[in-house]
Amino acid sequence: MPQPVLLLGAGHRCAYDEFVLTRIAAARPVLLVDAAPPAWAQPCLAGHLAADPGKGGATASAVVRFAARHRVRGVLTFSGEYAVAAARIAGQLGLPGPSLATAEACTDPPALRALLAACTVPTGDPGGPAAPRVSAETVVLDGEIRIAAITRTTLGPAPARQPLRHTVHAHDGLLHNRFLRLAVDRTVHALGVDRGVLHIGLTLTDRGPRVTDAAPHLPGDLIPLLVKRATGVDLAQAAAALATGEVPDTTPTRQRAAAIQFAYPAATGRLDRLDLSSDAAHEPGAERMLLTQHTGNHVTAGPQATAADRLAHWVAVGETPDACDDALRRMAHHLSAEIAPLADAA
């Protein structure tokens, strides 16, 4: 059996994290470091180390002791919450991965902006005016930087500015934009990353692309699923390969588009009913449609909504982004909800 990869945290949301965990487990045995692994993760695991990845040095010490008795090949996380812990552990074990300094900078927005500015990377404010938002899903192998996909994001109203939709297109023109490419290259060099998968956020402005954030781990919101459906590139398996010192295959095998739409509450209050018609699965282009909220829960609408308030999401695949948009609109008609307004719920 191949030597396993240590995964810090299985994630908190089965609807979003199960896909990535399944893809990693399909490539290599997974030993999960988590205080209490969720039931849905169990079928993907080769083993479990009961430790809280959020407890920093104490968990790092426990993992290092474990690795001294059980050979492991790499350390990985797809959670920004545990990025620093993963970098610390990989460094102590002498395994591939972003440095501790890189992980710490990526979780500290002012420090990241200062680091990027010092390396002449044009930066922007992720909470600034409504400029188009994109991200570069980037694979780095021994200094070679490849943008595997561009994710275009539609944001909701301020101040929360939660994503309403992500779209990936294999033929996105930004893949050939030299200014965006330069911003991504400079960001990778500024962070000192020579191996790994990065999610680099940018805004598109009249003065060119501006980097807003960077994460030295896989993106969330099922973006790896969109990239795989649109291009054939498996970011999750690429991250596992890079974490274990192997060379991933990132050759595109598809030339399509894929998109995900999120449903947020129309009112703040108690969710009394949430229904999804089974006919949604028969819509042309439908990939999946899942409920992500439970009746009886309190939900928040509008500008203050967070990802935890999402009622559902649905994914469509098509030849073009327009085809995906059409499919998403048709699928939306199959979702219905009733919310008791805050005063009535109380």
Side-chain angles (χ1 to χ4, degrees), residues 166-188:
H166 300 301
T167 303
V168 174
H169 185 208
H171 295 293
D172 196 306
L174 288 175
L175 290 166
H176 310 291
N177 183 298
R178 64 188 183 94
F179 298 107
L180 184 141
R181 172 72 201 207
L182 182 60
V184 168
D185 285 355
R186 287 180 175 175
T187 298
V188 173

Side-chain angles (χ1 to χ4, degrees), residues 279-295:
D279 293 338
H282 303 297
E283 290 287 357
E287 162 75 22
R288 65 162 65 184
M289 191 169 187
L290 294 177
L291 301 178
T292 55
Q293 193 58 259
H294 300 284
T295 55

Side-chain angles (χ1 to χ4, degrees), residues 11-292:
H12 303 297
R13 302 179 297 172
C14 172
Y16 297 95
D17 300 317
E18 185 178 28
F19 172 78
V20 173
L21 178 56
T22 301
R23 296 308 304 159
I24 294 172
R28 182 167 289 277
V30 174
L31 290 176
L32 178 66
V33 180
D34 204 323
W40 58 263
Q42 297 285 357
C44 299
L45 305 180
H48 167 233
L49 174 60
D52 184 351
K55 289 196 172 176
T59 294
S61 298
V63 171
V64 170
R65 289 195 300 271
F66 175 88
R69 303 188 307 272
H70 306 83
R71 297 191 63 180
V72 297
R73 187 67 180 272
V75 179
L76 187 64
T77 188
F78 46 76
S79 169
E81 183 180 0
Y82 305 136
V84 171
R88 178 181 290 112
I89 293 169
Q92 291 181 0
L93 296 177
L95 295 171
S99 69
L100 180 58
T102 294
E104 289 177 336
C106 288
T107 58
D108 183 345
L112 178 62
R113 284 195 294 271
L115 176 64
L116 296 180
C119 295
T120 66
V121 178
T123 61
D125 180 3
R133 290 290 303 275
V134 303
S135 57
E137 317 310 338
T138 307
V139 179
V140 184
L141 175 60
D142 298 333
E144 180 183 347
I145 303 168
R146 178 169 180 269
I147 301 176
I150 295 292
T151 303
R152 293 182 182 257
T153 298
T154 302
L155 295 175
R161 305 291 301 278
Q162 286 293 319
L164 301 177
R165 180 182 297 182
H166 300 301
T167 303
V168 174
H169 185 208
H171 295 293
D172 196 306
L174 288 175
L175 290 166
H176 310 291
N177 183 298
R178 64 188 183 94
F179 298 107
L180 184 141
R181 172 72 201 207
L182 182 60
V184 168
D185 285 355
R186 287 180 175 175
T187 298
V188 173
H189 290 306
L191 293 174
V193 175
D194 60 8
R195 173 179 283 266
V197 172
L198 293 88
H199 173 75
I200 300 175
L202 308 100
T203 58
L204 305 180
T205 74
D206 293 340
R207 296 175 297 143
R210 296 290 185 267
V211 175
T212 59
D213 55 276
H217 53 75
L218 290 163
D221 276 359
L222 284 176
I223 289 173
L225 170 64
L226 303 184
V227 173
K228 183 162 176 57
R229 295 292 183 265
T231 71
V233 175
D234 195 324
L235 290 177
Q237 293 197 350
L242 291 166
T244 56
E246 297 175 355
V247 177
D249 182 2
T250 58
T251 305
T253 58
R254 298 176 185 173
Q255 302 292 319
R256 307 194 75 194
I260 184 170
Q261 180 85 30
F262 306 104
Y264 293 88
T268 295
R270 184 187 63 231
L271 181 62
D272 283 346
R273 185 177 64 85
L274 182 62
D275 293 323
L276 174 62
S277 168
S278 59
D279 293 338
H282 303 297
E283 290 287 357
E287 162 75 22
R288 65 162 65 184
M289 191 169 187
L290 294 177
L291 301 178
T292 55

Side-chain angles (χ1 to χ4, degrees), residues 307-321:
D309 293 301
R310 292 172 180 171
L311 303 180
H313 69 250
W314 48 101
V315 176
V317 178
E319 296 302 317
T320 65

